[in-house]
Amino acid sequence: MANRLLVEGALPRPPPGVTAHPRLEIRRFVADIRQFSLYVQALQVFYDRDRTNVASHWQIGGIHGQPYVDWDGTPSGGRGYCVHRTELFPTWHRPYVVLFEQEVQRIARQIAATYTYDRPIWEGAAISLRQPYWGWDDLATVVPPDQVILSPTVQIMRPNSPALVSVPNPFLTYTYPAGANSVFIAPFNRWPRTVRYPDAAGNSQPALLRSALLAEGPQIVANTQRLFSLTTWNTFTLGSGATTGLEGIHDTVHVRTGGGGNMSYVETAAFDPIFYLHHAQVDRVIDLWYRRHRVWTPNAANLLPFRRTQAAYWQSPAIIDNNGVFNYSYDGVINSTESASSEGAAVDEPTTATNSVALEWSVRVQCKEYEVGGSFSVYIFIANEVPPNHAEWLLHPTFAGTFDVFANTNPEQCENCSAHAEDIIK
């Protein structure tokens, strides 16, 4: 029997009791020239791996949706491994991001060993390298830096010289292996690379992405802050009658980032490199919420296709401690290994003055997820009439917010999507 790829986390592991190296917010990450240089080079090598390699970007991206094939020997019945709209949504994505992280870091360590100057420093940078996150819970960082959404090239230090050189920016897009995009739904089967806010020719439009995130940012930040008032796992994950859950916030970021491109659809999202910045942030919010409430799902279903050993898969109760299990922490977070029944530990959440008064409004929307045949948004305005020009909705002075649904365009292809086809989301 062939050895299967295990989800173990970055290496080497620290001694017991030592805090793992942190995942950094993307703005801080790009400012670290050594980690940034290693990551950019490693990401391109990762992209270039043969499509038949289970540790290639093509195959790992496909775990999330299309092309709906078995990954590394884990049977899926040709209907994927999706867990959206279930209590396993947060925990399933944890080993998924770790899988991406460990492969990029593995390549970065190999690259660091080739540096002809300051090699020990570069090797240390590679050991500490972790997947950065996109801090959309803060208005100051709700729009990613230009190195992620705009710049066609970035400057890095290569192994043979400390001089900065410009290289193509792998954060912007991923080019599929030749002909591989034929498995996608239209129009993605016509475009050779991932896109954000595509025009008719499949060209990304970063100015529209920036505008959308600026307009939607206050809602994303406010909804994230409200998550910490929720005290049960299911309401935190799926929401309550009055508060948007983590998956709903996640949906908004997907839809606003994609703008009709890859990130807007379940089956194509994970091929866009920004997906992993987004889901590292989702995981960070899970970590912060858990540290406050010490509540976790007891559901011990296998998190397919992520293997813990050659004979067993990861399960949610085993991955509470990201520091000890998967060898990463988050910048600014005090780590603790207390059990789920313990009292909360300190976290880096903002504090609010106890005497402040805030007036808030809320709108309740409910619908079937697959009612319109794919991802969609309900726009909310404080006005008697809807502004006539759709292109101006997000920036219109009467715009109040959106209710966003991140959906599969062909739910019958996905076993989990089919099972939840009649569910009401709100």
Side-chain angles (χ1 to χ4, degrees), residues 20-33:
H21 291 291
R23 291 177 176 175
L24 305 178
E25 206 286 321
I26 185 60
R27 289 182 180 273
R28 182 179 171 192
F29 184 82
V30 300
D32 185 325
I33 188 59

Side-chain angles (χ1 to χ4, degrees), residues 85 365-378 403-408 411 417 420-426:
R85 309 298 171 211
V365 181
Q366 63 181 40
C367 60
K368 290 183 179 180
E369 181 172 1
Y370 304 108
E371 197 72 23
V372 300
S375 298
F376 63 92
S377 300
V378 177
F403 173 80
D404 301 287
V405 177
F406 176 57
N408 195 324
C417 300
H420 292 274
E422 297 301 314
D423 288 2
I424 300 296
I425 57 174
K426 51 191 175 182

Side-chain angles (χ1 to χ4, degrees), residues 242-253:
T243 303
T244 302
L246 178 62
E247 189 166 7
I249 298 167
H250 148 275
D251 286 7
T252 292
V253 177

Side-chain angles (χ1 to χ4, degrees), residues 32-176:
D32 185 325
I33 188 59
R34 286 189 171 85
Q35 288 206 356
F36 183 66
S37 295
L38 289 170
Y39 189 95
V40 165
Q41 294 173 91
L43 194 55
Q44 190 58 58
V45 172
F46 187 47
Y47 289 170
D48 293 340
R49 281 178 169 173
D50 190 272
R51 63 192 288 185
T52 62
N53 185 342
V54 297
S56 65
H57 184 68
W58 171 256
Q59 288 226 9
I60 290 175
I63 291 172
H64 197 263
Q66 288 182 321
Y68 294 112
V69 296
D70 294 352
W71 183 77
D72 199 21
T74 297
S76 67
R79 303 191 72 194
Y81 306 103
C82 170
V83 295
H84 294 89
R85 309 298 171 211
T86 77
E87 64 182 289
L88 296 178
F89 158 77
T91 53
W92 184 88
H93 284 84
R94 174 164 284 186
Y96 192 21
V97 176
V98 170
L99 174 60
F100 181 91
E101 176 178 66
Q102 76 180 31
E103 293 309 308
V104 172
Q105 195 250 7
R106 189 196 311 270
I107 299 168
R109 287 166 49 220
Q110 295 168 352
I111 293 171
T114 69
Y115 272 72
T116 58
Y117 59 95
D118 299 334
R119 183 177 297 170
I121 298 175
W122 285 99
E123 290 178 331
I127 288 172
S128 63
L129 189 147
R130 298 295 184 271
Q131 171 61 28
Y133 67 88
W134 163 21
W136 40 248
D137 60 333
D138 188 323
L139 286 176
T141 52
V142 75
V143 177
D146 288 350
Q147 292 93 331
V148 173
I149 63 172
L150 179 63
S151 304
T153 61
V154 290
Q155 289 197 315
I156 65 169
M157 298 166 68
R158 284 194 175 278
N160 59 348
S161 170
L164 290 173
V165 296
S166 293
V167 299
N169 183 2
F171 281 99
L172 279 189
T173 188
Y174 162 65
T175 300
Y176 310 117

Side-chain angles (χ1 to χ4, degrees), residues 44-384:
Q44 190 58 58
V45 172
F46 187 47
Y47 289 170
D48 293 340
R49 281 178 169 173
D50 190 272
R51 63 192 288 185
T52 62
N53 185 342
V54 297
S56 65
H57 184 68
W58 171 256
Q59 288 226 9
I60 290 175
I63 291 172
H64 197 263
Q66 288 182 321
Y68 294 112
V69 296
D70 294 352
W71 183 77
D72 199 21
T74 297
S76 67
R79 303 191 72 194
Y81 306 103
C82 170
V83 295
H84 294 89
R85 309 298 171 211
T86 77
E87 64 182 289
L88 296 178
F89 158 77
T91 53
W92 184 88
H93 284 84
R94 174 164 284 186
Y96 192 21
V97 176
V98 170
L99 174 60
F100 181 91
E101 176 178 66
Q102 76 180 31
E103 293 309 308
V104 172
Q105 195 250 7
R106 189 196 311 270
I107 299 168
R109 287 166 49 220
Q110 295 168 352
I111 293 171
T114 69
Y115 272 72
T116 58
Y117 59 95
D118 299 334
R119 183 177 297 170
I121 298 175
W122 285 99
E123 290 178 331
I127 288 172
S128 63
L129 189 147
R130 298 295 184 271
Q131 171 61 28
Y133 67 88
W134 163 21
W136 40 248
D137 60 333
D138 188 323
L139 286 176
T141 52
V142 75
V143 177
D146 288 350
Q147 292 93 331
V148 173
I149 63 172
L150 179 63
S151 304
T153 61
V154 290
Q155 289 197 315
I156 65 169
M157 298 166 68
R158 284 194 175 278
N160 59 348
S161 170
L164 290 173
V165 296
S166 293
V167 299
N169 183 2
F171 281 99
L172 279 189
T173 188
Y174 162 65
T175 300
Y176 310 117
N181 57 321
S182 63
V183 302
F184 293 144
I185 56 173
F188 299 102
N189 57 1
R190 300 195 301 269
W191 297 334
R193 62 186 62 85
T194 59
V195 292
R196 303 167 194 159
Y197 285 81
D199 62 17
N203 300 306
S204 293
Q205 301 178 88
L208 296 181
L209 168 58
R210 183 188 299 276
S211 295
L213 292 174
L214 286 172
E216 199 81 63
Q219 174 182 317
I220 294 170
V221 172
N223 283 344
T224 305
Q225 291 173 345
R226 293 188 189 102
L227 279 178
F228 293 92
S229 68
L230 302 176
T231 58
T232 69
W233 181 263
N234 278 359
T235 56
F236 164 67
T237 301
L238 302 172
S240 66
T243 303
T244 302
L246 178 62
E247 189 166 7
I249 298 167
H250 148 275
D251 286 7
T252 292
V253 177
H254 263 286
V255 173
R256 291 293 146 242
T257 304
N262 288 71
M263 279 286 283
S264 292
Y265 300 99
V266 172
E267 56 267 54
T268 59
F271 293 101
D272 188 327
I274 206 171
F275 174 95
Y276 301 93
L277 297 174
H278 170 39
H279 271 278
Q281 165 68 0
V282 170
D283 186 77
R284 174 176 171 267
V285 173
I286 297 166
D287 187 53
L288 292 172
W289 184 88
Y290 169 75
R291 290 174 185 281
R292 169 171 287 193
H293 297 291
R294 297 294 169 182
V295 175
W296 197 261
T297 177
N299 190 320
N302 286 335
L303 301 176
L304 304 178
F306 308 117
R307 294 180 187 270
R308 181 178 188 173
T309 68
Q310 292 297 323
Y313 294 94
W314 285 106
Q315 297 174 343
S316 299
I319 61 172
I320 296 175
D321 178 18
N322 53 278
N323 183 82
V325 175
F326 288 134
N327 193 21
Y328 70 89
S329 60
Y330 284 102
D331 54 353
V333 175
I334 299 173
N335 281 287
S336 169
T337 56
E338 295 179 53
S339 68
S341 61
S342 303
E343 294 300 318
V347 298
D348 64 344
E349 297 167 28
T351 57
T352 304
T354 56
N355 294 327
S356 64
V357 176
L359 178 63
E360 296 184 346
W361 56 267
S362 64
V363 176
R364 184 171 182 176
V365 181
Q366 63 181 40
C367 60
K368 290 183 179 180
E369 181 172 1
Y370 304 108
E371 197 72 23
V372 300
S375 298
F376 63 92
S377 300
V378 177
Y379 288 75
I380 300 158
F381 300 91
I382 304 177
N384 292 327

